[in-house]
Amino acid sequence: MSSDAASQFNIHDAKTNLSRIIDRVEHGEEIIISRAGTPVAKVVPLTRRVTRTGRGSLAGTLVATEDWDSDEVNDLIADDFHPAL
């Protein structure tokens, strides 16, 4: 069996083997799903644009000034969104 044939599943087999297909895709394979022998979909690995380490991942790298929530700062920010005419 060639690698092309191994990476193509009909819809019924894809439903039956979804966990196996996802495992193969997680390891870099691309899988074609076919209906009546005609390819209709491709399952490909998802490449993340940004790797997040979780909540708090910026802890210690951001500094907030004492007046970060003052009326003056809030008014300046509001002016950026609703400038005076």
Side-chain angles (χ1 to χ4, degrees):
M1 184 146 80
S2 73
S3 63
D4 288 340
S7 62
Q8 186 164 335
F9 289 81
N10 65 42
I11 291 175
H12 174 74
D13 289 339
K15 290 191 312 186
T16 302
N17 295 295
L18 182 60
S19 293
R20 289 184 188 104
I21 290 171
I22 297 300
D23 186 56
R24 288 171 61 175
V25 170
E26 284 178 328
H27 288 90
E29 263 189 82
E30 294 184 356
I31 305 292
I32 304 295
I33 310 295
S34 299
R35 175 180 284 132
T38 302
V40 295
K42 182 190 291 189
V43 184
V44 297
L46 178 64
T47 54
R48 298 183 185 273
R49 292 189 186 120
V50 176
T51 301
R52 304 246 189 256
T53 57
R55 291 181 181 228
S57 62
L58 295 177
T61 61
L62 299 177
V63 178
T65 61
E66 292 293 324
D67 67 343
W68 73 271
D69 195 25
S70 70
D71 290 338
E72 181 182 355
V73 171
N74 288 331
D75 289 341
L76 289 170
I77 293 170
D79 288 345
D80 287 339
F81 289 95
H82 305 286
L85 296 177

